[in-house]
Amino acid sequence: MSRALRILVAVAALAGGSVPLFAAESALMRGTAITDPDLLKKLDVLTIPRLLWPERNANVPLTTDQMFSQLSQLKQIPPAIDAELERYVAQQKAAWPSETIGVGEGFDVQLFDRANLKSPDTRFVLAGIVNRMDRAYVSEESCGEIRLIYRLARFDNKPDGGKTATRLPMTFNLVMKARDPHQTDASGKPLTCAEVARRWLDNGDWQGLIGGSVHPSDVTLDRIETNIQVSVAPKSALHDFRSDYLLKVFKYDAATKTFEESTLENQIDRDRILADDALRRDFKEWLLAPDNLRAFDRGTVLIPEKFLAKAAVVPTPAGLDASALQPEFGMMAGESRDNPVFTDNDVVGALKQAAARGDMQNVRSVAGFQRRLNDVTCAGCHQTRGIGGFHFPGVDWLADKPSNSTIVPASPHFVGDQVRRRDILTAFAAGNRPDFSRGFASRPQTRGSQELAGTEYQDGWGAHCSLQNAGSGTRDESFTSWSCATGLTCQAAAASRRIGMCFIKTR
């Protein structure tokens, strides 16, 4: 039994021997995510140091200054973040020379305080646990991933000697493989993906939480993902309100026992591709190849590293219309560049051939190709129906009234995707091959239409919809199914000619 699982056994014992892990979960998240405040408070013993330093017996979690200085596995993370922030500041000064930038409210652009990562008053608190077995197509042997999502919090002394916590705008995701392929079940047989899925779908089986790794630091650790709100700029005479988020990924190297800076999955390095004619040609040829285009359509494409970036700055809000705020901007024809990667003829020709093979489910037009090219990236996904720049800000169980402190732990995109994820778990549990495909980030697939019908996730108030269905132009086949429920109408939320939002009809 792993260190983490032994901790969970102890938690269960302290709670009276039985912990109904999913008793308070909503129907949509049942079996796919843990967001119950009381349970997360108990499971907060699964701290990052406990998982990365199993020999440590102290019951007190490490503060960030201790964590980054004492855990050698994490030594590359602070300098990598520092370097990105220095680049960010230099770019901001060049783009907006008349604006001041720094830490504190006295600046035009207010920066994330890096001192929080070296402070004795801050630590990472468990804000949620998410099952991502729907990502098993990346590595079938690992059965997908389990993500332990931590939120940075600052603890301040109260006058009465107690402590209160303030959540800070940074998440730290410890991503683990859903199973150790060498692990066995109670009968001594190899642990299967079906068994891991069943443990998650079983309301009372706590062992399904992280898959049961024997040596977490060497066998099941995969990577660390960080998301930091690096700046906030109030509305001014120069620009509207904006907030930028920095995304970084650090892959675990078992040989060096460190998390090393890595590329972000599918985060196309737009500027580098556009500046290199050979790379531009290679990317177009690769993506329009039949097998890759089919995976691109289904949202399961894995773009080669040579086309990817090691960081992404995500501006919000980005809006629905094409603009330089979006990660693919400039790669498609008509987006203010003379030499785009893809012309309309390139895309139309590839889609016609794919349609003849019966390959396409989602992308059926140039606009659909463009939208998928955005939302397949980390940055584009984070800009879609997010809560600021986060899809899972998590549960603030540290507050005096946790049930009131966070109205929702996750974004509409996250919640709307839970039906698809649970379908995949159910298929795994039954021993069947799951369908890993997904729709656009703006709109869940129709496989969840019955459960999601009439909600903001599918066709209710606030859902994204097709303006063409509202009679504003030629139908775009990528979005014809994006309708509104009875009593609602699709109205333009921006200047976009294709996508709007569902609102109550007005005379």
Side-chain angles (χ1 to χ4, degrees):
M1 185 182 292
S2 73
R3 173 80 171 181
L5 293 185
R6 286 196 294 272
I7 293 172
L8 285 173
V9 172
V11 171
L14 290 173
S18 177
V19 181
L21 292 188
F22 302 96
E25 297 301 308
S26 69
L28 287 176
M29 295 188 194
R30 188 177 182 85
T32 59
I34 296 175
T35 58
D36 177 73
D38 292 333
L39 179 56
L40 289 171
K41 184 175 183 178
K42 295 182 177 72
L43 295 180
D44 188 51
V45 292
L46 289 173
T47 60
I48 299 164
R50 280 289 186 95
L51 294 169
L52 300 184
W53 191 4
E55 299 82 8
R56 182 174 179 269
N57 293 318
N59 292 322
V60 180
L62 295 181
T63 55
T64 51
D65 62 328
Q66 297 170 326
M67 189 178 85
F68 285 117
S69 64
Q70 296 182 25
L71 297 181
S72 59
Q73 301 101 315
L74 305 180
K75 64 182 180 181
Q76 292 192 27
I77 295 180
I81 290 176
D82 283 342
E84 293 294 348
L85 288 175
E86 292 295 335
R87 279 191 285 270
Y88 176 81
V89 170
Q91 291 167 356
Q92 290 296 305
K93 288 181 176 179
W96 308 94
S98 64
E99 287 193 327
T100 60
I101 182 169
V103 176
E105 295 183 358
F107 294 92
D108 297 323
V109 179
Q110 300 160 21
L111 288 175
F112 175 79
D113 188 355
R114 281 179 272 178
N116 288 319
L117 298 181
K118 303 171 185 177
S119 171
D121 298 320
T122 61
R123 77 171 178 92
F124 288 98
V125 176
L126 187 65
I129 302 177
V130 179
N131 182 311
R132 292 308 306 271
M133 291 183 72
D134 62 290
R135 286 180 45 78
Y137 64 88
V138 177
S139 174
E140 293 190 13
E141 185 179 63
S142 67
C143 305
E145 306 163 355
I146 306 300
R147 299 184 182 185
L148 284 78
I149 301 177
Y150 297 86
R151 183 71 179 251
L152 186 62
R154 181 177 62 245
F155 292 78
D156 301 311
N157 287 324
K158 288 182 177 180
D160 61 2
K163 284 196 171 185
T164 184
T166 301
R167 298 212 308 176
L168 301 175
M170 177 179 180
T171 59
F172 187 105
N173 302 345
L174 181 61
V175 183
M176 306 180 73
K177 298 172 185 176
R179 70 156 183 170
D180 169 11
H182 305 295
Q183 186 186 2
T184 58
D185 60 19
S187 66
K189 296 180 180 179
L191 185 68
T192 63
C193 296
E195 178 59 25
V196 175
R198 283 193 289 268
R199 291 176 178 181
W200 273 86
L201 292 170
D202 182 345
N203 295 346
D205 193 343
W206 50 265
Q207 295 188 65
L209 290 178
I210 63 171
S213 59
V214 178
H215 302 291
S217 61
D218 291 322
V219 179
T220 59
L221 285 180
D222 186 75
R223 66 189 183 277
I224 284 170
E225 301 171 339
T226 60
N227 184 2
I228 304 173
Q229 185 189 53
V230 291
S231 75
V232 174
K235 184 175 182 179
S236 71
L238 297 176
H239 54 73
D240 290 331
F241 167 85
R242 71 176 190 268
S243 181
D244 290 347
Y245 295 78
L246 172 66
L247 308 182
K248 293 285 290 179
V249 170
F250 302 86
K251 290 283 290 183
Y252 186 71
D253 187 327
T256 62
K257 295 186 182 298
T258 57
F259 288 91
E260 300 182 352
E261 190 177 17
S262 178
T263 55
L264 282 70
E265 182 177 291
N266 291 348
Q267 182 62 41
I268 49 178
D269 195 333
R270 176 188 66 192
D271 294 339
R272 185 165 57 87
I273 293 173
L274 290 172
D276 186 325
D277 287 340
L279 202 60
R280 179 202 310 264
R281 289 192 299 270
D282 288 349
F283 183 57
K284 178 170 71 171
E285 181 181 352
W286 185 88
L287 188 54
L288 296 183
D291 288 347
N292 299 329
L293 185 60
R294 183 180 187 276
F296 177 74
D297 169 73
R298 283 154 174 73
T300 58
V301 71
L302 296 172
I303 299 173
E305 285 196 8
K306 71 175 183 176
F307 302 119
L308 305 180
K310 287 190 174 181
V313 174
V314 187
T316 61
L320 297 177
D321 293 320
S323 74
L325 300 178
Q326 297 170 336
E328 70 77 30
F329 187 76
M331 304 191 84
M332 300 291 299
E335 292 181 335
S336 77
R337 290 193 184 256
D338 296 331
N339 191 18
V341 178
F342 304 98
T343 67
D344 286 2
N345 287 338
D346 292 332
V347 176
V348 170
L351 292 180
K352 283 184 178 179
Q353 293 180 28
R357 295 188 300 269
D359 280 350
M360 309 308 283
Q361 294 180 350
N362 300 290
V363 179
R364 296 189 174 96
S365 64
V366 173
F369 183 91
Q370 178 186 14
R371 183 164 290 269
R372 179 62 99 193
L373 195 55
N374 267 319
D375 78 25
V376 78
T377 67
C378 297
C381 179
H382 276 259
Q383 288 175 330
T384 305
R385 306 204 77 192
I387 301 175
F390 299 100
H391 277 301
F392 194 92
V395 176
D396 186 10
W397 52 264
L398 288 163
D400 292 334
K401 297 180 180 180
S403 61
N404 298 327
S405 60
T406 302
I407 298 175
V408 289
S411 73
H413 166 64
F414 177 93
V415 177
D417 197 40
Q418 298 310 301
V419 176
R420 182 188 70 89
R421 297 183 189 183
R422 193 173 65 248
D423 283 352
I424 289 172
L425 283 184
T426 303
F428 266 128
N432 299 325
R433 173 74 180 178
D435 175 7
F436 294 109
S437 63
R438 63 176 178 86
F440 293 100
S442 300
R443 183 89 175 187
Q445 281 181 311
T446 54
R447 72 168 79 178
S449 59
Q450 291 185 343
E451 286 187 73
L452 300 175
T455 70
E456 63 174 307
Y457 313 115
Q458 189 68 37
D459 55 7
W461 175 275
H464 287 185
C465 53
S466 170
L467 285 171
Q468 282 75 27
N469 285 344
S472 63
T474 304
R475 288 163 57 93
D476 191 311
E477 293 301 320
S478 293
F479 313 117
T480 51
S481 65
W482 297 22
S483 60
C484 293
T486 302
L488 302 179
T489 184
C490 190
Q491 302 177 27
S496 173
R497 294 170 297 171
R498 295 183 175 89
I499 305 302
M501 299 182 73
C502 296
F503 295 107
I504 294 176
K505 290 182 178 180
T506 57
R507 293 184 180 179

